[in-house]
Amino acid sequence: MRPRVVGRVLYALGAFGAALLQQTLLLWLFYFYAPPPGQPHPARASPSAVGLAMAAGRVVDALADPLVAHWSDSLRSRWGRRRPFVLGASPLLALCFVLLWRPPHAGVSAANAVYLTVTLGAFFFLYTMVLNPYIALLPEVTARGRGRVATTSLQAGFNLAGIGAAFVGSSWLSARFGFPAMGIALAPLGLAALLVSTLGVRERVPAAPPQPLGPTLRGILRDRRFRIFIPAIATVWFGLSMVQLALALIVTVLMELPQGAVASLLSLTLGVTVVSLPLTARLIRHFGERRTILGAMVLLAADLPLAAAIGRWPLPLAPAAEGMVALALAGPAVGAMFILPNVLLAEIAEDHGRLLGTRAEGMFFAFQGVIFNGTTSLSAAALGALIQWLGQSPPEAWGLRAALLVASVSTAAGALIFTRYPQRSDPALRQPQPPV
């Protein structure tokens, strides 16, 4: 294997560590702190308190994104611009992950809500310190687009492997040894992947001096494609974040299965997604990034109402079978959403830098992080509020069903916005932008 290919594989490995830690948190946080009735775990906080704590953590993440991005864009060190952040913050991120599963009290208490809010805030701040510089390496690792789709496909594969490890490993560990032991077992795996990934990348420090923050921000906001990309993807992400946070509840409440079935059922979606990755790459080559991601958005918007109606389909199927069908149908679209947003954003950032002579890849991905974290905060708060207001007790579970319908509407709105995204061949995109 050629050194450049090996470097891309090692770089993509970091997605495994990031996905393992974050997906485990997203999968089990509501279930661990505010389990639905009838589950063999004590509640430690109310659903609304968990939703607000998650929202607060995402706000911290959003505020940190532009600061970390500008810092890493401006850093000039012999280790590079991005690597010092990943190497320094990853151990602390793993520690915060362990602490999340060790609240001070066994029952519901204000102290648990405060503890969760503070620990989540620290986790997401450190997650930004790691992930923004890591993703900002993509345009450099795949300079001028060489191997970009292949590299992001590798990232998607490792990302899915991390999610699969979160589904299977966290389910088995938490059921057999408890959530605190699960945290101790998974944290080193995520840490190792992040460190190996960063140490395997050779980063070139640009000769151009750092740019001031204000002109950098104004230049990015003038980018035509970016102004369409961000609201479209953020609106879709609002819906997907709500679904991610509710996955364990979908399996245990709507599908009426025990906690131990979470891993196997969600692995079905992952399996379909992994199998669909080569097909997604072929669709990208044939139809282009724009039409492929638009089709994925439409497919997701159509599938989510099926998930909301689990147990109510006019077919002679058990709720578990209905859920399996809905999850499997989502697989190909989820695969496209794993690959394409970063491909498009890296293309936008690279074209921007070539036309204006600035290197602000971190800030482009920071804007994406700010918007995504803002929408994730809103989705967490909305999910907690809907569950608190409408309930999650089976078989009705109106709050959970309403959340999935909201996610469908949001995804459809994102697809509508994205129809305005121009092709790269648009002549206007090859012209230098106005001075800042």
Side-chain angles (χ1 to χ4, degrees), residues 97-413:
F97 178 80
V98 171
L99 294 177
L100 277 170
W101 313 105
R102 294 177 173 271
H105 299 294
V108 176
S109 70
N112 281 350
V114 173
Y115 177 89
L116 176 61
T117 302
V118 172
T119 310
L120 271 178
F123 178 90
F124 283 117
F125 174 77
L126 292 164
Y127 192 78
T128 299
M129 290 280 286
V130 171
L131 201 66
N132 178 272
Y134 166 74
I135 295 179
L137 283 167
L138 179 61
E140 181 168 330
V141 173
T142 59
R144 297 190 177 275
R146 290 191 297 269
R148 184 164 294 159
V149 171
T151 302
T152 51
S153 296
L154 281 171
Q155 280 184 310
F158 280 121
N159 198 323
L160 291 169
I163 294 174
F167 287 165
V168 177
S170 67
S171 298
W172 184 80
L173 288 167
S174 62
R176 188 173 180 85
F177 301 107
F179 284 95
M182 175 203 74
I184 292 175
L186 294 183
L189 293 178
L191 175 61
L194 289 168
L195 294 181
V196 170
S197 168
T198 310
L199 290 171
V201 173
R202 291 189 175 184
E203 184 182 0
R204 296 184 299 273
V205 179
Q211 299 296 312
L213 178 59
T216 299
L217 294 176
R218 290 193 294 271
I220 289 172
L221 291 175
R222 289 176 184 268
D223 192 288
R224 176 186 171 191
R225 285 183 295 172
F226 189 71
R227 292 201 306 267
I228 299 171
F229 171 86
I230 282 296
I233 300 299
T235 309
V236 173
W237 191 251
F238 175 88
L240 289 180
S241 297
M242 190 172 289
V243 176
Q244 277 187 308
L245 289 167
L247 280 174
L249 300 178
I250 292 171
V251 174
T252 57
V253 176
L254 296 185
M255 298 175 68
E256 301 176 3
L257 295 173
Q259 175 193 348
V262 171
S264 57
L265 264 296
L266 298 184
S267 295
L268 170 66
T269 303
L270 288 183
V272 175
T273 302
V274 170
V275 170
S276 70
L277 290 180
L279 173 62
T280 300
R282 293 187 65 181
L283 290 174
I284 293 170
R285 288 194 295 270
H286 186 72
F287 295 107
E289 292 94 341
R290 179 184 179 277
R291 285 192 286 178
T292 303
I293 196 171
L294 186 58
M297 293 175 184
V298 172
L299 179 58
L300 282 172
D303 182 64
L304 287 172
L306 296 179
I310 290 173
R312 298 289 188 273
W313 291 12
L315 296 172
L317 294 175
E322 294 176 0
M324 290 174 66
V325 172
L327 291 173
L329 288 175
V334 171
M337 295 306 299
F338 271 120
I339 295 174
L340 284 167
N342 282 345
V343 170
L344 290 171
L345 191 54
E347 177 184 288
I348 293 170
E350 188 175 51
D351 289 348
H352 179 91
R354 188 182 69 254
L355 292 173
L356 297 185
T358 61
R359 295 289 300 276
E361 301 94 337
M363 191 59 70
F364 273 95
F365 284 99
F367 262 101
Q368 177 179 254
V370 168
I371 301 301
F372 282 12
N373 288 320
T375 55
T376 303
S377 299
L378 292 175
S379 69
L383 176 62
L386 285 170
I387 290 175
Q388 186 86 18
W389 176 36
L390 298 175
Q392 60 175 329
S393 299
E396 290 82 6
W398 297 121
L400 189 54
R401 296 181 191 277
L404 293 172
L405 291 176
V406 169
S408 174
V409 172
S410 178
T411 305

Side-chain angles (χ1 to χ4, degrees), residues 36-53:
Q39 297 300 312
H41 302 285
R44 296 165 175 89
S46 67
S48 59
V50 178
L52 290 174

